[in-house]
Amino acid sequence: MAEVEARIPNRRDEMRTIAALVEQFGLTHLVPSRIVNELNVALDEILNNIISYGFEPGEQSEILVRLSLQQGERVAEIEDAGRPFAPLGAPPPDLAGGLRERRVGGLGIHFVRNLMDAVEYARVGECNRLRLSKTLAPDEREKPGGERHGNS
Amino acid sequence: MEIVEMHKGPVTIVEPRGSIDTSGAAPFGDRIFELISSGSRNLVVDLQHIVYISSAGFRALLVAHKRADEAKAKLVLCGVSAEVRRLFELGRFLDLFTICATRDEGIAKAT
């Protein structure tokens, strides 16, 4: 199992650290670029949500992001100590409307739900824990001895 | 975010690089706004060097398109990869933007 984690302050200008972490993890572990990009979209949505709505203005906190490759899955876990945040309970976005009427509210969670294979949320004590995962394709599963074959 | 710009006749081609996400959305949107404010009326946004767009990026694209409309400027997209196109589809944005298959087609549409 391969794992890496980083903590960032709850500020938008720190989000780039996580995008770089995902890219590097992807390169190191030969994750197809499509998966890396999907993870980065999902993480951009989640982190932006946490930073925007999870804390009082000016409240300083940290967000933990852990990336791992587990049996058959690529996983991103996000932990924060902000307000309870239940992405799965959010209303679906309004995707109708021409240029003038379109709003992007709810689009982020819509992306997360559709790009990830599984999204799990738990409130543990004072923390939100979100687990995003992408299942590896059958030909990408880890073989005995750690050898992995895959294609993009 | 790095933004490369070129001109072909009256058309300004804007080529952002990287990702139009929370970090990239503001510089990208600001630049389009500056171009329109300073008189550009024919814009092609070439997304070939964009690896992904998050909802923050789509918000910036929508705002850019609205501003272009208000200024009676043309704003056309090109260089949309299959992966990025999937995001447009998920967000039901394909009908809202003029997306061209090639840059030349985009330049023609924006003229």
Side-chain angles (χ1 to χ4, degrees):
Chain A
M1 183 176 113
E3 190 178 287
V4 70
E5 66 176 53
R7 283 174 201 278
I8 58 163
N10 58 325
R11 292 202 321 263
R12 278 189 202 88
D13 58 7
E14 297 282 345
M15 284 172 59
R16 181 68 200 129
T17 303
I18 300 303
L21 189 80
V22 174
E23 282 161 30
Q24 188 52 56
F25 189 73
L27 280 171
T28 305
H29 299 286
L30 305 176
V31 179
S33 62
R34 179 181 62 85
I35 309 285
V36 170
N37 294 332
E38 287 171 352
L39 275 167
N40 264 333
V41 172
L43 282 164
D44 193 77
E45 307 300 351
I46 297 297
L47 292 173
N48 206 344
N49 249 299
I50 293 169
I51 292 166
S52 298
Y53 305 116
F55 304 96
E56 295 296 316
E59 185 183 345
Q60 289 179 359
S61 187
E62 280 191 333
I63 304 168
L64 170 70
V65 177
R66 186 182 299 120
L67 305 172
S68 57
L69 291 173
Q70 303 175 11
Q71 200 122 19
E73 286 185 310
R74 296 177 188 96
V75 178
E77 291 167 293
I78 306 107
E79 286 181 23
D80 71 273
R83 295 190 183 103
F85 163 65
L88 307 181
D94 180 5
L95 298 179
L99 190 58
R100 285 191 202 292
E101 301 86 33
R102 272 308 292 271
R103 299 280 178 269
V104 286
L107 184 64
I109 299 303
H110 177 72
F111 275 169
V112 173
R113 283 184 186 137
N114 281 278
L115 295 175
M116 297 294 104
D117 294 329
V119 180
E120 294 157 47
Y121 168 78
R123 177 82 180 169
V124 181
E126 297 298 303
C127 287
N128 296 302
R129 274 194 200 157
L130 195 64
R131 186 180 189 276
L132 312 173
S133 64
K134 297 281 299 186
T135 311
L136 285 147
D139 62 347
E140 290 178 286
R141 300 291 162 98
E142 205 157 354
K143 292 183 159 40
E147 201 186 310
R148 190 179 305 120
H149 297 282
N151 54 10
S152 302
Chain B
M1 143 163 302
E2 191 194 349
I3 302 176
V4 173
E5 287 167 28
M6 289 143 274
H7 297 271
K8 194 149 187 182
V11 179
T12 304
I13 300 135
V14 179
E15 200 179 83
R17 279 148 192 234
S19 46
I20 315 183
D21 56 5
T22 297
S23 309
F28 170 74
D30 288 349
R31 187 59 195 141
I32 301 290
F33 184 50
E34 278 166 15
L35 285 166
I36 294 172
S37 300
S38 61
S40 295
R41 292 290 173 267
N42 312 88
L43 290 164
V44 173
V45 178
D46 190 332
L47 297 172
Q48 63 170 306
H49 294 292
I50 291 299
V51 286
Y52 61 86
I53 304 177
S54 69
S55 67
F58 279 111
R59 184 179 292 111
L61 264 172
L62 277 173
V63 169
H65 200 333
K66 284 180 197 176
R67 285 191 171 131
D69 266 11
E70 282 157 16
K72 303 221 184 339
K74 289 186 186 177
L75 185 117
V76 165
L77 308 181
C78 70
V80 177
S81 69
E83 281 177 37
V84 172
R85 192 180 177 89
R86 187 187 169 200
L87 296 169
F88 273 86
E89 275 171 1
L90 267 178
R92 305 281 190 276
F93 289 120
L94 288 177
D95 289 342
L96 298 189
F97 293 95
T98 304
I99 299 174
C100 294
T102 65
R103 181 185 279 198
D104 282 344
E105 199 187 306
I107 290 168
K109 271 252 161 66
T111 302

